Amino acid sequence: MKKLKNELALILEPFLKEYLSLEEIEETLELPKFAEQGDLAFPCFKLAKSMRKSPHIIAQELSQEISSDKFEVKNQGPYINFYINRQELAETILTEILSKKEDYGSSEEGQNRPVIIEYSSANISKELHFGHIRGIMIGSSLYKITKTLGYKAIAINHLGDYGINFGKIITAYKHWGDKEHIEKIGVRGLLELYLYFNKASAEDPSYMEEARRWFYKLEEDKDPEALELWKWFKDVSLKEYNRVYKLIGCTFDSYAGEAFYSDMMPDIRQELLEKDLIIEDDGAEIIDLSDENLPNVIVTTSQGSSLYITRDIAAAIYRKQEYDFYRNCYVVGSEQRLHFTQLKAILKKMGYDWWDQCEHIDHGLVMMETGKISSRDGDNIFLEEVIQTAIQKTRDSIEERNPELEDKDEIARQVGLGALAYRELSNSRVKDYTFNWDETISFEGETGPYLQYTNVRCQSLLTKGAYDESLGFDGSHLTEDSSKELLWELGLLPSILTSAFEKMEPALLSRYLMGVAKLFNKFYAQVSVIVDNKEEKNSKLALVKAVS
RNA sequence: GCGCAUAUAGCUCAGCAGGAUAGAGCACCUCCCUCCUAAGGAGGGGGCCGGGGGUUCGAAUCCCUCUAUGCGCGCCA
């Protein structure tokens, strides 16, 4: 695609060089909305002023002068439309895809530059509820996209394994805890403790004091009892998280959570003091960000403990030293926008010129019909249950539609997960959405199963047609409309991946794949495949799926 | 109160570094399994692109303003 645009720009350049540079010509070229308007179009509005003619006349005149054996040139109104030679298109694109196979779309453009994708970042001792699925799917997808483009991707699960919450849980455990019970039911047991605590401290503030003391003991005194409990809570939680991660198929390169940075807290505080950024206020230490038009930030509590933001400052500095990141992406819900804006502002004030390489990749919230999900009130559904239910419902549906199928369990697993994944990745990141079972496990239309179904169709054709790669292909068999549209779309993959990476927007890729699948199904309906060796087409379709 | 985000078909959403007739899916109505798995395909109805101003030859797209919704705003993460 890029190549084509470039070639076309070169053809146009001699006619336009007085007015536009080669780059400008390339940028001006656009994809027409309708098929009858060609494959690429050059709008002449920009030229009207400098050439002092109406765009219509310019387009008309130019279209008569330009000629190329690769493109057919037509003039429609103020546009010059270019129609590519179909046989050549087929040969260019198919050769590219078939030679790269599964690697089609991947590239070296990342030059191995380090890109950090922080995602999931589970809060130890709290459950992974279904609101977390969004961040996990988005993060995991971005991680794969980043890798595909030749960047050195680093997935970090910035565990919430520190902070006053641990004081709360320890307090609750000391009062009402039961070791066996927790061993038995896992994170649920810890969550119960958390809920007990909230209830009790609402009535009696002294519990909160106790919690503060425990966290101080953990952070400053390295109290052995506190440390041991902390470690245990972490183990119990991680065991459960890993089960979910495995089910979803996402991976991490590092589990360096907040506690990991605890030793750096004194140095960070010292650095902030030296850079004269800290102000005393009510016994706490704050940073004034009013010149950035932001609210003040507390970096040390009146108890002398660190906070979330303090640890994030340390984490950013550590990551820069350790990985020398090119981009440091935080895949975190949009409710934390202010936090990350403040974090960046502080890093800027500290004089780190890489502050704007840190990016908050925010995403909208998942709501229930009843409203926002809150661990505090315990009104949640465990993520694992959601996944299992999705699989079960898929299984039921198979039983209904296709009872004689083999491997029903495995298929249900793949289709159920695919449905969930597509549901999470198809909308723009920033949108909130309300969780709804019917839509999530719907199999018709723009859904995960549609993509998978399409892929299955491809595979089936390859098998039945006894595809033999060594026979090669002949582009002249691939010139009817549906083939051409499909080929054209396939050629777009690299540029889609690039912009998905730049914008950190997986939806660009999922929607693109949906487009490919739709075009394939159209092609499938219109063209009979098992006639000659058009099987090529399908093989690379399968490859496109492999990327997803 | 202040800040940030969102607003497009009955529902869920694309399109938004201005450009040719505003697009999908679901739902609704017609057709298509003697033909590569119909979880599919072809077609139809359905839109003051939240309201109002402005910039421009041209605005769903850019600017201003209002409204509605969501999120956030010092010792949670």
Side-chain angles (χ1 to χ4, degrees), chain A residues 1 93 97 104-105 422 425-426 451 485-497 499-500 505-519 540-541 544-545 547-548:
Chain A
M1 246 309 292
I93 291 180
I97 296 176
Y104 176 62
Y422 189 82
L425 296 176
S426 58
L451 288 181
E485 282 172 30
L486 181 55
L487 282 161
W488 183 266
E489 193 74 9
L490 287 170
L492 292 176
L493 179 64
S495 66
I496 297 290
L497 282 169
S499 63
E505 178 56 276
L508 290 174
L509 181 58
S510 10
R511 279 198 291 268
Y512 164 78
L513 291 174
M514 183 55 64
V516 172
K518 278 184 182 170
L519 288 171
K540 93 257 114 166
L541 247 176
V544 174
K545 293 299 171 308
V547 177
S548 61

Side-chain angles (χ1 to χ4, degrees), chain A residues 441-452:
Chain A
I441 51 132
S442 157
F443 295 157
E444 280 156 30
E446 293 182 353
T447 60
Y450 179 93
L451 288 181
Q452 292 167 323

